Amino acid sequence: MYTFGDPTQWLPFVFAGLMGLSILIYVVLDGFDLGVGVLFPFADDEEKDAMIASIGPFWDANETWLVLAVGLLLVAFPSAHGEILTALYAPVAIMLIGLILRGVAFEFRVKAPAAYKRLWNNAFFIGSLMTSLSQGFMLGLYVMGLDWTLGHVAFACLTAVFLTVGYSFIGATWVIHKNSDALQLKAVDWAKGGIWGLILGVGAVSLATPYVSPRIFEKWFDFPQVLWLAPLPVVSGLLIVWLWTMLRRMPFANDHWNWLPFVAATLLWTTAYGGMAYSFYPYVVPEKITIYEAASAPESLFIILIGSLFVLPAIVGYTLLSYWIFRGKAHELRYD
């Protein structure tokens, strides 16, 4: 019987919530700057500079949330950490190479001689694409239970493409917010195309998830459990209609409310993520290991929780501060 006073029950739940929140924030924040990189081939050189300027103050801090999520998985759920990373070793390695390539390219494209700028622009795109595709592949394989079968790998390849297009969509909404004039209009067209990739990706995961296990199927379709999930597809549908309506009407007069598509896209990602969290809880490794089975000793979790109470507000604080300081339209990114 679960009781709130039992630390073996509430501590794993708290850490699962913190880890889940970190992953969600990472997917939204690093998702948009990965999406900006994926969109590079569709922009000219001047537009690439403007797009880089729009993510310049944020991109490296956004990755902090990935480090936090993986760190929480390691210290709070060590057996699950080993299970997940062992199964996903290859795509994780590709993701890390992509992140390194992005970071190097971001710095070198500004400082390298003009003749090599195109090389580093291509490197930034390739790094962004590698990272996005590998994360999408990991998502698909995780949904299918981390088993490397032909069917599961095919599904993971499908989600890799859809997540990458979804990242390009939220990246386009960010460009709409941070840029103006011709680039903003071009970003509206990118968003109109990208939203379909996000819809197809969410649809593919939604169709596959209830068939992963009878337990998830019951949570989706048995009464009264279905009542907990029912609001999410309704809200998602309304958000998609709202987004499409806004994109068809943009740009707004005097460029007001240009941030609304990004906010709506963030809410859409949140509803999709919420559906996954509802489906797989209480498992941290789908249908294999629950958060309660994988959790570290309560004494260890309590000490880590005390540290988290200091670290998490600091991360949230400087994240909010950076977005507040660099609010408004993007300006030229300079190093001199």
Side-chain angles (χ1 to χ4, degrees):
M1 182 177 179
Y2 293 177
T3 59
F4 182 77
D6 184 357
T8 62
Q9 302 303 323
W10 68 265
L11 277 171
F13 183 82
V14 167
F15 274 95
L18 290 175
M19 186 178 68
L21 179 64
S22 300
I23 294 173
L24 174 61
I25 295 175
Y26 170 77
V27 166
V28 171
L29 297 187
D30 208 37
F32 78 70
D33 66 55
L34 284 169
V36 168
V38 169
L39 290 169
F40 250 41
F42 306 103
D44 60 33
D45 289 342
E46 186 176 343
E47 290 168 343
K48 288 185 176 84
D49 290 339
M51 291 162 70
I52 282 288
S54 73
I55 64 173
F58 314 110
W59 70 275
D60 49 354
N62 291 343
E63 294 174 0
T64 304
W65 293 99
L66 178 62
V67 176
L68 178 62
V70 175
L72 288 172
L73 178 64
L74 172 62
V75 299
F77 309 105
S79 61
H81 178 273
E83 182 87 15
I84 293 171
L85 290 193
T86 298
L88 300 177
Y89 185 86
V92 166
I94 293 172
M95 180 186 72
L96 292 176
I97 294 171
L99 289 172
I100 293 170
L101 188 58
R102 268 172 50 87
V104 172
F106 192 97
E107 302 295 335
F108 277 36
R109 67 177 301 279
V110 176
K111 300 176 182 179
Y116 295 97
K117 187 173 182 178
R118 183 177 179 182
L119 169 66
W120 291 113
N121 281 339
N122 291 336
F124 187 74
F125 162 68
I126 293 170
S128 301
L129 187 64
M130 289 173 62
T131 304
S132 301
L133 288 172
S134 60
Q135 289 181 5
F137 186 90
M138 287 188 281
L139 170 64
L141 207 61
Y142 180 85
V143 168
M144 301 310 292
L146 299 175
D147 295 323
W148 285 75
T149 67
L150 183 61
H152 293 177
V153 169
F155 178 77
C157 291
L158 187 67
T159 56
V161 174
F162 287 149
L163 184 73
T164 300
V165 178
Y167 277 169
S168 74
F169 165 68
I170 196 171
T173 63
W174 179 258
V175 174
I176 291 171
H177 168 47
K178 298 296 287 185
N179 299 97
S180 56
D181 302 326
L183 178 56
Q184 186 184 62
L185 292 175
K186 187 177 284 189
V188 170
D189 290 335
W190 294 338
K192 287 179 180 178
I195 192 173
W196 297 109
L198 179 58
I199 292 170
L200 291 172
V202 172
V205 173
S206 298
L207 288 173
T209 298
Y211 295 99
V212 171
S213 76
R215 181 191 64 83
I216 297 178
F217 190 92
E218 291 176 3
K219 292 183 76 171
W220 276 52
F221 300 111
D222 282 9
F223 188 85
Q225 296 183 86
V226 67
L227 297 178
W228 292 98
L229 184 66
L232 292 179
V234 174
V235 172
S236 297
L238 293 174
L239 287 170
I240 290 170
V241 172
W242 184 33
L243 270 164
W244 186 250
T245 302
M246 282 192 292
L247 291 173
R248 294 192 64 180
R249 294 175 55 195
M250 294 194 78
F252 297 129
N254 299 319
D255 205 18
H256 288 320
W257 308 105
N258 58 70
W259 47 270
L260 277 178
F262 179 75
V263 171
T266 299
L267 293 175
L268 185 57
W269 280 99
T270 302
T271 58
Y273 186 82
M276 278 194 60
Y278 169 80
S279 299
F280 288 103
Y281 176 81
Y283 286 88
V284 63
V285 178
E287 309 311 309
K288 294 179 181 178
I289 307 175
T290 68
I291 59 174
Y292 305 103
E293 295 168 341
S296 300
E299 296 80 5
S300 300
L301 290 179
F302 191 75
I303 293 173
I304 299 167
L305 180 61
I306 294 174
S308 300
L309 294 177
F310 291 93
V311 173
L312 191 60
I315 297 175
V316 171
Y318 74 64
T319 299
L320 293 176
L321 181 62
S322 65
Y323 280 86
W324 173 255
I325 291 174
F326 296 102
R327 66 190 182 277
K329 296 297 182 181
H331 301 285
E332 182 184 2
L333 189 63
R334 300 174 61 91
Y335 285 83
D336 52 4

